Amino acid sequence: MQYDVIVIGSGPGGYVAAIRCAQLGLKTAIVEKYNTLGGTCLNVGCIPSKALLDSSEHYHNAAHAFKTHGINLENLSIDFGQMVKRKKEVVDANTSGISYLMKKNKIDTHFGVGSFKDKNTITVKKADGTETEITGKNVIIATGSKPSALPFLKIDKKRIITSTEALNLTEVPKHLVLIGGGVIGLELGSVYARLGAKVSVIEFMDGIIPTMDKALGRELQKVLTKLGMEFYLGHKVTGATVTGDEVTVTFDTPRGEKKELKGDYCLVAVGRVAYTDGLGLDKIGITVEERGRKITVNDHLETSVKGVYAIGDVIKGAMLAHKAEDEGTLVAEQIAGQKPHIDYNLIPGVVYTWPEVAAVGQTEEQLKAAGVKYKTGSFPFKASGRARASGDLDGFVKVLADAATDEILGVHMIGPRAADMIAEAVVAMEYRASAEDISRMSHAHPTYTEAMREACLAATENRAIHI
Ligand code: FAD
Ligand code: NAD
């Protein structure tokens, strides 16, 4: 079994790399340790979380928004078992879709843990203990990441849980205590808050989604507070203990006072770390960074060993499915002799709360720190006809443009369907559009996208029409 390329890991980085290699005529194999393909994203990440977010959003609207639309429902109730079953069906449909794509592209799938024997030989250890060896001229490591833990806190996976267990609960928590006000915490916190749980968020930094433009975190906190979530910002968790069905989380306030919260579940969502266990990297001398255990790669995503590449969550940069996919494509095309390029500044970030949060490019904080002179244009959704019609009045679009050239440097939005709307900003920035360029382009009325045009108008000459 000799291949041009062996891909280890079948998440969005790995399976996209494998498909692109096959499209380019390279004989390709993919190795996956679990018995379904798709990695974190399809099995325990993006897809199941979005399925539960959609289901819980329907329930929340039926319970709270339908009435204002003149729709009355009686005896509304949640069949949580059905909600989780549907989520599983969505996951199964997606993962079997990847199996279909592997067959269609004539990619050999090897189930088992892949580890390096030497730089061209991968031993695949199957669940039954048997081993096979495959060889490849090139190897792409796409082994992803796993949840970070806190050294002083034991995750028992029953009451003190990670996102993986939070996606597979058998009941809606009464009180979910969340450690970490980042993407996972706020998405899964939203799911359970909508379904009736009390949700308390303990965040170490002084704002939620702290790596995004500060204005987004402030607005999102306001909306999630209306949903009933409570926030302890700037608080430091010191421990969590389980007694029966109860979890007690202890933490220090910014003034150093000791506090505790009792809940029935505690979700630890404090980031993820690169996953390289069992790969045998030391056998071939691949180096990993001390912090986060990420595999070190050069600008071509090649490791310290020639012909061995790494992509996705296991290397530096944002831990996002589309970033992993882009890197998979890049490495495949390089192996085939092409010269592809990724502009990391233009990888959008999205939080799938409602309203959704989406951003691309530089934040105001980054521009200030770099001493770049910029202008700002904002447009609130409460001034959008489309948002009035749907009743989604929270949020805004904020455009940051270069003060001298008007080139768009960053777009930050929170509002209805922002996850889809951010694509316009990515295209604009890829083609180095100015705010005026966008403000002169026709946007269908009434759509949420008009808010993007209005924010650009506001940035251009402060001449938004509807505010
Ligand atoms: P992974 O998807 O982690 O895949 C790695 C694969 O490698 C796994 O299948 C693993 O079993 C396999 N593997 C590991 N070691 C070996 C080995 N030695 N041999 C064989 N196989 C091995 N990102 C977004 O962009 N949008 C979202 O909405 C989003 N939502 C998320 C929600 C949650 C709850 C979580 C946890 C993550 C979410 N992410 C989201 C992040 C996203 O899932 C990751 O960025 C993405 O999956 C990374 O892809 P990857 O290919 O690098 O690795
Ligand atoms: P995150 O980095 O988004 O958020 C972690 C949060 O925990 C941060 O706000 C951090 O300040 C806080 N924190 C860290 N240590 C803490 C402590 N001791 N006490 C209190 N707070 C603490 O990480 P995450 O939410 O775990 O998500 C992991 C990764 O998965 C992210 O990198 C993200 O990109 C990816 N993801 C993406 C999406 C999406 O694209 N929609 C969804 C889910 C996950």
Side-chain angles (χ1 to χ4, degrees), residues 292-313:
R293 308 277 307 152
K294 292 194 165 211
I295 294 178
T296 315
V297 289
N298 64 18
D299 289 348
H300 302 285
L301 308 188
E302 196 167 25
T303 66
S304 47
V305 175
K306 205 171 156 34
V308 179
Y309 301 82
I311 58 172
D313 281 11

Side-chain angles (χ1 to χ4, degrees), residues 8-14 31-34 38-41 44-46 49-50 112-114 142-145 163 167 184 187 272 275 277 279 311-313 319-322 324 352:
I8 309 179
S10 71
V31 183
E32 171 54 55
K33 71 172 186 168
Y34 289 124
T40 303
C41 176
V44 291
C46 325
S49 59
K50 267 79 254 178
V113 176
T143 49
S145 61
S163 55
L167 290 165
I184 290 183
E187 288 186 359
R272 295 177 62 86
Y275 185 78
D277 295 3
L279 266 178
I311 58 172
D313 281 11
M319 288 187 168
L320 295 172
H322 43 288
Y352 294 82

Side-chain angles (χ1 to χ4, degrees), residues 12-13 41 46 145 183 187 212 272 294 311-327 344 346-352 359:
C41 176
C46 325
S145 61
V183 203
E187 288 186 359
M212 297 185 91
R272 295 177 62 86
K294 292 194 165 211
I311 58 172
D313 281 11
V314 80
I315 62 164
K316 65 189 171 189
M319 288 187 168
L320 295 172
H322 43 288
K323 178 252 191 193
E325 290 183 28
D326 291 354
E327 290 179 339
Y344 284 95
L346 296 189
I347 292 179
V350 174
V351 189
Y352 294 82

